[in-house]
Amino acid sequence: MARIVGGITTSHIPAIAMAMSNGLEKEPYWKRFFDGYEPVKAWLEKVDPDIAIVVYNDHGLNFFLDKIPTFAIGCANQYENADEGWGLQTLASFEGDAEFSWHLAESMINQDFDMTTCQEMLVDHGFIVPMALMWRHLPKWPVKGIPFAVNTVQHPLTSARRCLAAGRALRKAVESYPEDQKVVIFGTGGMSHQLQGERAGIINVDFDLQCMESIINNPEWLAGLSNTEIIEKAGTEGIEVIMWLVMRGALQEKVNVVHKHYHVPVSNTGAGVLVLENPD
Amino acid sequence: MSWKKHRYDDIPGTYVFDGKTSHAAYALNKMLFSFNHQENREEFGRDPRAYAIKFGLSDMQKQALLNNDYLELIRLGANVYYLAKLTVPRGVSIQDAGAAFQGITTEEFKAKLASKGKGLIEKLEQQGGFWNG
């Protein structure tokens, strides 16, 4: 049987990709941020997952505004990264697992989450930055990747509560897969930031820390906030934090905190890292 | 035809990208999306006005584009992730754009961001359980 070993929260911003491409990890601006990933990498090496489900939002690479699915899942055996106009280095392709993906899609749909299935899917910085943060030191990606895209770009968006419920459905989907697979879930994006308008540049440390506490011990708190409340506190792009609830919903009710790290500013954002392990 | 009013419309200095905005600025964002391709970025670079006309931008959108008026482009419906496909390859970072939105220098904008980290370690120590090297 497939089982979820744990979940990770991480930023996915392009500035991190630029810093990695340019080898800036030890520069004063970046050091504390990147050092905070060493325990994450050590945990991943220990649990040695087979599959990473990456919950992220596409920023206009695979999806244009002509068709925006609320929840979409990659159902292919390979995913390519490509030029998204931001000057980022294009990374090597990622191996997928079509059988596993189709099983997840079917199970989610049977649980009333009407996933969009994608047999061709370009993955942008939302997907590749987390993968690179975890595994760029290895010659090849050590896991299969499953892109799980949530629309956080064009409103109306799904809600925080719905993301939590989607995660709970995802857990059932994974756990009903007959093959032995160790699965890790990445909840990516956030934390507080606003890139646009006169209010650009807001970072709300207190709210970010509240969100991290909620993700660990009381996801219902974050799930109870409306999108407008989250935007007021965390900024228009800070709404990405709802994707962390997909990850959290896929874990058990009580989790062990393996690692907790927060740094600010990382470019325009607050960056929170959690490694949460399922006790059983 | 009428558009529903939303609570988020009243957040100051904030332009939530919703159906109303996306519908009104479809051509503008379609042009910005085309900048995923190098050949399109080059074509735009050779004659921005002709490129904007090809995509059917409104006169106001064209004017804002040719003036590099990023705040006006946001007001006219550019999605900020798509706007970056225009600005970043032309040497204008997201922080340069942020500074432009506020009419301050990039250095001032970065200093404001850096100030959010003041007292962070003490705060994390009070909360407990955070990694700190």
Side-chain angles (χ1 to χ4, degrees), chain A residues 72-187:
Chain A
I73 187 165
C75 293
N77 278 326
Q78 186 163 311
Y79 304 99
E80 303 293 335
N81 179 216
D83 187 351
E84 52 183 301
W86 293 40
L88 305 178
Q89 185 188 349
T90 300
L91 299 191
S93 59
F94 300 86
E95 191 186 349
D97 184 333
E99 291 93 333
F100 182 62
S101 286
W102 280 106
H103 167 82
L104 295 181
E106 184 172 353
S107 173
M108 296 279 293
I109 289 168
N110 286 341
Q111 296 175 72
D112 298 330
F113 277 92
D114 299 326
M115 305 296 297
T116 296
T117 49
C118 304
Q119 298 205 74
E120 287 187 53
M121 196 171 191
L122 295 172
V123 287
D124 77 354
H125 66 268
F127 180 96
I128 68 162
V129 167
M131 295 294 264
L133 273 166
M134 308 311 166
W135 291 302
R136 69 191 180 289
H137 57 290
L138 299 179
K140 66 185 278 272
W141 306 115
V143 294
K144 293 176 175 179
I146 310 292
F148 187 115
V150 180
N151 166 36
T152 61
V153 172
Q154 179 179 264
H155 293 248
L157 310 184
T158 192
S159 66
R161 180 162 302 288
R162 186 89 176 136
C163 283
L164 183 62
R168 289 178 175 148
L170 180 61
R171 176 183 170 185
K172 286 188 185 164
V174 170
E175 291 178 348
S176 61
Y177 192 61
E179 249 177 58
D180 285 337
Q181 298 283 350
K182 281 185 282 183
V183 178
V184 63
I185 320 265
F186 295 173

Side-chain angles (χ1 to χ4, degrees), chain A residues 6-280:
Chain A
I8 293 172
T9 69
T10 177
S11 172
H12 65 217
I13 61 170
I16 298 169
M18 296 298 266
M20 292 188 288
S21 303
N22 295 317
L24 303 180
E25 288 97 329
K26 299 292 174 201
E27 294 288 313
Y29 183 88
W30 288 104
K31 188 175 183 322
R32 187 172 178 278
F33 170 76
F34 280 109
D35 283 356
Y37 278 82
E38 292 305 318
V40 187
K41 288 152 77 173
W43 178 79
L44 283 167
E45 200 174 319
K46 191 185 83 178
V47 299
D48 191 24
D50 303 300
I51 295 176
I53 300 173
V54 183
V55 185
Y56 73 107
N57 61 297
D58 180 89
H59 307 73
L61 177 65
N62 189 67
F63 299 117
F64 176 56
L65 305 171
D66 59 338
K67 302 173 195 74
I68 296 286
T70 297
F71 291 111
I73 187 165
C75 293
N77 278 326
Q78 186 163 311
Y79 304 99
E80 303 293 335
N81 179 216
D83 187 351
E84 52 183 301
W86 293 40
L88 305 178
Q89 185 188 349
T90 300
L91 299 191
S93 59
F94 300 86
E95 191 186 349
D97 184 333
E99 291 93 333
F100 182 62
S101 286
W102 280 106
H103 167 82
L104 295 181
E106 184 172 353
S107 173
M108 296 279 293
I109 289 168
N110 286 341
Q111 296 175 72
D112 298 330
F113 277 92
D114 299 326
M115 305 296 297
T116 296
T117 49
C118 304
Q119 298 205 74
E120 287 187 53
M121 196 171 191
L122 295 172
V123 287
D124 77 354
H125 66 268
F127 180 96
I128 68 162
V129 167
M131 295 294 264
L133 273 166
M134 308 311 166
W135 291 302
R136 69 191 180 289
H137 57 290
L138 299 179
K140 66 185 278 272
W141 306 115
V143 294
K144 293 176 175 179
I146 310 292
F148 187 115
V150 180
N151 166 36
T152 61
V153 172
Q154 179 179 264
H155 293 248
L157 310 184
T158 192
S159 66
R161 180 162 302 288
R162 186 89 176 136
C163 283
L164 183 62
R168 289 178 175 148
L170 180 61
R171 176 183 170 185
K172 286 188 185 164
V174 170
E175 291 178 348
S176 61
Y177 192 61
E179 249 177 58
D180 285 337
Q181 298 283 350
K182 281 185 282 183
V183 178
V184 63
I185 320 265
F186 295 173
T188 79
M191 297 189 79
S192 57
H193 66 301
Q194 178 155 330
L195 302 179
Q196 51 99 343
E198 296 91 329
R199 194 167 169 258
I202 67 161
I203 294 178
N204 187 338
V205 173
D206 291 329
F207 181 73
D208 287 350
L209 298 181
Q210 268 181 304
C211 287
M212 292 179 77
E213 174 58 26
S214 164
I215 288 290
I216 296 167
N217 289 317
N218 179 23
E220 293 295 333
W221 176 80
L222 182 53
L225 299 182
S226 72
N227 287 343
T228 299
E229 285 170 317
I230 296 172
I231 290 170
E232 280 171 342
K233 293 184 170 73
T236 40
E237 283 64 51
I239 193 69
E240 289 176 349
V241 77
I242 65 174
M243 295 187 292
W244 290 21
L245 284 164
V246 179
M247 179 282 289
R248 184 61 183 89
L251 302 188
Q252 295 167 10
E253 288 296 310
K254 294 271 179 218
V255 290
N256 297 331
V257 181
V258 176
H259 179 62
K260 184 162 79 159
H261 173 45
Y262 180 77
H263 189 67
V264 74
V266 179
S267 186
N268 288 31
T269 73
V273 183
L274 291 170
V275 177
L276 305 177
E277 197 170 50
N278 274 338
D280 300 327

